């Protein structure tokens, strides 16, 4: 992976490093970075789908829990997954806005 990207373990995807200075790259290198970023953003929907499937598994498990603690734990896990999904959606939306402003 290009040094412009870093893997975010929480979200499970590569992200464009905020501090990376694209202006130091040649036009061709910038184009390659933006192309890679476009592909990463396009694949975020797959990651969202994976997380939503996990959320549904947690929801199904809630129907069979026997204690309030189990219910609380599953609910917490679902909320953590929902937070990641929300962040991925915000990130991909803002990434496309950034790309629209980019000068190739």
């Amino acid at each position: 992976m290009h040094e412009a990207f870093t893997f975010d373990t929480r979200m499970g995807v590569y992200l464009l490093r905020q501090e990376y200075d694209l202006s130091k790259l040649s036009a061709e290198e910038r184009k390659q970075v933006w192309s890679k970023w476009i592909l990463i953003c396009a694949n975020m929907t797959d990651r969202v789908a994976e997380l939503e499937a996990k959320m549904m598994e947690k929801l199904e498990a809630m129907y069979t829990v026997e204690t309030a603690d189990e219910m609380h734990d599953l609910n917490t896990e679902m909320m953590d997954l929902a937070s990641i999904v929300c962040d991925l959606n915000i990130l991909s939306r803002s990434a496309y806005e950034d790309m629209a402003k980019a000068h190739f």
Side-chain angles (χ1 to χ4, degrees):
M1 185 63 56
H2 192 277
E3 65 185 24
F5 300 96
T6 185
F7 189 77
D8 185 290
T9 55
R10 177 179 170 267
M11 290 196 265
V13 295
Y14 279 92
L15 301 177
L16 185 60
R17 290 181 22 220
Q18 295 293 324
E19 72 279 0
Y20 193 77
D21 187 1
L22 292 171
S23 68
K24 293 182 179 180
L25 301 177
S26 69
E28 182 59 32
E29 290 172 320
R30 267 195 313 277
K31 185 177 177 181
Q32 289 174 357
V33 168
W34 282 116
S35 295
K36 184 68 178 172
W37 187 224
I38 289 167
L39 290 173
I40 289 170
C41 289
N43 288 324
M44 282 186 194
T45 56
D46 294 338
R47 180 67 178 141
V48 167
E50 290 171 16
L51 295 171
E52 287 174 341
K54 287 182 182 181
M55 289 170 61
M56 294 308 295
E57 290 172 8
K58 304 290 182 195
L59 180 62
E60 288 297 318
M62 287 178 140
Y63 292 113
T64 60
V65 296
E66 296 180 7
T67 68
D69 287 340
E70 289 176 303
M71 179 68 78
H72 175 74
D73 291 344
L74 286 170
N75 189 56
T76 299
E77 291 171 22
M78 282 181 59
M79 294 302 106
D80 290 343
L81 293 170
S83 173
I84 296 168
V85 166
C86 184
D87 290 347
L88 285 168
N89 285 324
I90 291 169
L91 176 66
S92 64
R93 211 173 271 142
S94 67
Y96 285 114
E97 289 172 4
D98 291 344
M99 284 182 250
K101 298 175 194 171
H103 298 284
F104 295 99

